[in-house]
Structure formats: C-alpha cells, structure tokens
C-alpha cells in the first residue's frame, strides 16, 4: 500500500511538473510564419463555401502571423479560452485590415482576426505585446514583402491556362525577399479529366526582428514539386468554369 501511495504521489508530482513545463514553454518559438493566401485558388470549386468578396479585391491577402518553433510545432492559445480581441485597440487599422486581411470563409472579418490573434498573437507578446503591435506589424510586413509585386517580377501572373513550377516560385521569392525556402500549400482539383494543382497559400518566414529568413524544411509537402501549378484569376470566383 505504501508503494502504491508513493507511486500515485510521484505520478501527481510528475504531472504537475509537466504542466508547469508546458505552461512555461507555451510561448516557446524561434521565428514567425507570415502566411498569405490567394482566394481564387482557395475558393474555386472548393468543398467549403466562400463568401462573396469585394470586387475591388484582386491581390494576395494575409492569413496570419504565426510564431513557430519549427516546421511542425508552434505555441497556440497562450491566453486561454477566455481570450477576446479588444477591437478598440485596432480601430485605426480597421480600413486597412478589411482590405488586406479579410476572411474568404463565411463569417465576419472580426471573427477571423479574433481567431488569429487569440490562437497566435497571444503567443508572441515578447515581440508584439499588444493587439495593435500584432496587427500593425503584420500589415507592415504585407507591404514590405509584397507577394503580387514579387510574383509579377518573376513572371508569375494569374491565368486560366498558364502554369508555373515550384522552382519558378522559389526563384521569384529568392529574388524579391532574399530567402531560399518558403512554405507552400496546394490543393488538387479534378476537372475535365485532369488533376490541377492550385497553389493557394504561401508562408514567408521572418525572425523575431521581423526580417526575412529561410523557412525550415517541412516534414510534409502539400505541393508536388514535379507538377505545375495554376494561379487562377479572380474571375473564376464568378465564372461557371475555368
């Protein structure tokens, strides 16, 4: 009985220690994934329903600024389930946020920003201590690391018929941002008897000074490096077919 009691006490102490370690490491990260999305490739004939986006929107938009430890681990929800976004702190940013950080899913932009801030922004308060710091620096990065300009300079422009290689994408980002490796997300669309690779999201990594750096090698690639990808034009979101 004494042995069992000792084991139970040891287990409780071990669990308590693990919880303390987990809590102290909840904001343990080494860099940021600055992630942008291309809504035509996200939404075209997707299984989820995208909302109608403003006709003036024709560019890459922000998905999030995510503190990350490595390619597969990141802190999240560091303020707990009671987290709420104080939108009065970012009131001066709202016009720009609606333009450059909208959600393309059903729901409001504010709900999207709340999710991003509570899940990711609360875990980098050593670098970005307030809501305003988090969102204003993400907007500044979006302008500094301009995806539309970088891809156009590399000859990658939206098209119904033209395709591009991952190597072309690497080259465009290297020339524009001086990074050798970014992270890409793709989905595959079966249409007219073929499978089309749609690159819908890109992460450019930045360090804690918010300067571009190489992303770590991912454990899994969602894009095929041997298959060309499409960057569909915005017109597909209102057209019946490609």
């Amino acid at each position: 009985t004494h042995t069992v009691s000792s084991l139970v006490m040891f287990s409780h102490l071990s669990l308590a220690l693990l919880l303390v370690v987990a809590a102290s490491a909840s904001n343990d990260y080494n860099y940021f994934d600055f992630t942008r999305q291309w809504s035509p490739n996200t939404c075209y004939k997707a299984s989820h329903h995208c909302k109608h986006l403003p006709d003036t929107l024709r560019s890459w938009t922000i998905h999030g600024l995510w503190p990350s430890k490595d390619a597969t681990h990141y802190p999240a929800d560091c303020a707990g389930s009671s987290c709420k976004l104080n939108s009065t702190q970012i009131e001066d940013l709202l016009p720009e946020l609606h333009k450059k950080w909208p959600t393309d899913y059903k729901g409001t932009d504010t709900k999207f920003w709340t999710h991003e801030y509570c899940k990711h922004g609360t875990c980098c308060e050593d670098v970005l201590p307030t809501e305003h710091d988090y969102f204003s620096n993400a907007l500044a990065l979006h302008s500094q690391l301009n995806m539309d300009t970088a891809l156009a300079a590399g000859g990658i422009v939206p098209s119904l018929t033209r395709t591009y290689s991952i190597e072309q994408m690497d080259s465009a980002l290297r020339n524009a941002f001086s990074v050798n490796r970014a992270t890409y997300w793709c989905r595959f669309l079966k249409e007219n008897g073929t499978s089309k690779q749609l690159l819908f999201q890109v992460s450019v990594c930045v360090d804690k000074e918010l300067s571009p750096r190489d992303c770590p090698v991912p454990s899994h690639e969602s894009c095929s490096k041997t298959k060309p990808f499409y960057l569909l034009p915005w017109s597909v979101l209102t057209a019946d077919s490609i």
Side-chain angles (χ1 to χ4, degrees):
T1 304
H2 178 72
T3 302
V4 171
S5 299
S6 298
L7 287 172
V8 170
M9 182 178 294
F10 178 77
S11 297
H12 287 171
L13 287 172
S14 298
L15 178 58
L17 180 60
L18 285 172
L19 290 174
V20 169
V21 171
S24 65
S26 62
N27 63 348
D28 181 19
Y29 67 101
N30 299 317
Y31 66 97
F32 294 90
D33 279 295
F34 184 46
T35 307
R36 267 81 63 83
Q37 57 192 4
W38 183 252
S39 290
N41 282 10
T42 303
C43 295
Y44 180 66
K45 294 189 176 180
S47 57
H48 65 271
H49 186 72
C50 289
K51 71 178 187 180
H52 176 72
L53 293 165
D55 292 336
T56 54
L57 186 59
R58 290 293 181 271
S59 61
W60 288 81
T61 58
I62 302 170
H63 185 164
L65 181 61
W66 306 335
S68 300
K69 187 170 185 178
D70 54 40
T72 54
H73 299 88
Y74 59 90
D77 301 307
C78 294
S81 58
S82 61
C83 175
K84 291 186 182 352
L85 174 66
N86 184 355
S87 59
T88 60
Q89 297 296 316
I90 57 171
E91 194 166 358
D92 61 313
L93 303 175
L94 292 179
E96 193 175 5
L97 285 170
H98 281 297
K99 180 180 179 182
K100 299 178 179 178
W101 200 332
T103 178
D104 52 23
Y105 281 26
K106 286 285 189 179
T108 65
D109 290 347
T110 301
K111 183 177 179 180
F112 182 37
W113 303 331
T114 299
H115 167 78
E116 289 299 314
Y117 177 72
C118 287
K119 183 174 182 178
H120 302 286
T122 57
C123 297
C124 55
E125 291 182 344
D126 58 322
V127 174
L128 305 171
T130 68
E131 289 102 320
H132 197 277
D133 291 327
Y134 179 73
F135 287 101
S136 64
N137 277 280
L139 288 169
L141 276 175
H142 187 57
S143 297
Q144 175 191 346
L145 305 176
N146 189 299
M147 285 290 295
D148 299 280
T149 301
L151 297 191
I156 302 174
V157 295
S159 174
L160 291 172
T161 57
R162 289 182 64 183
T163 60
Y164 308 97
S165 68
I166 295 297
E167 287 76 13
Q168 285 175 280
M169 195 75 178
D170 286 339
S171 178
L173 299 187
R174 185 187 310 107
N175 291 336
F177 307 144
S178 300
V179 295
N180 292 310
R181 185 168 51 250
T183 304
Y184 308 126
W185 281 263
C186 294
R187 53 182 282 252
F188 291 85
L189 174 68
K190 289 185 178 179
E191 187 175 58
N192 301 325
T194 62
S195 176
K196 296 180 177 179
Q197 179 168 229
L198 307 182
L199 189 152
F200 67 89
Q201 192 163 260
V202 175
S203 279
V204 175
C205 295
V206 297
D207 60 25
K208 289 189 177 184
E209 278 68 52
L210 304 183
S211 297
R213 52 154 282 178
D214 289 352
C215 291
V217 178
S219 58
H220 171 73
E221 300 271 8
S222 73
C223 300
S224 169
K225 291 185 177 181
T226 60
K227 187 178 178 68
F229 71 86
Y230 287 83
L231 192 70
L232 298 178
W234 283 83
S235 59
V236 300
L237 297 185
T238 54
D240 292 331
S241 62
I242 289 184

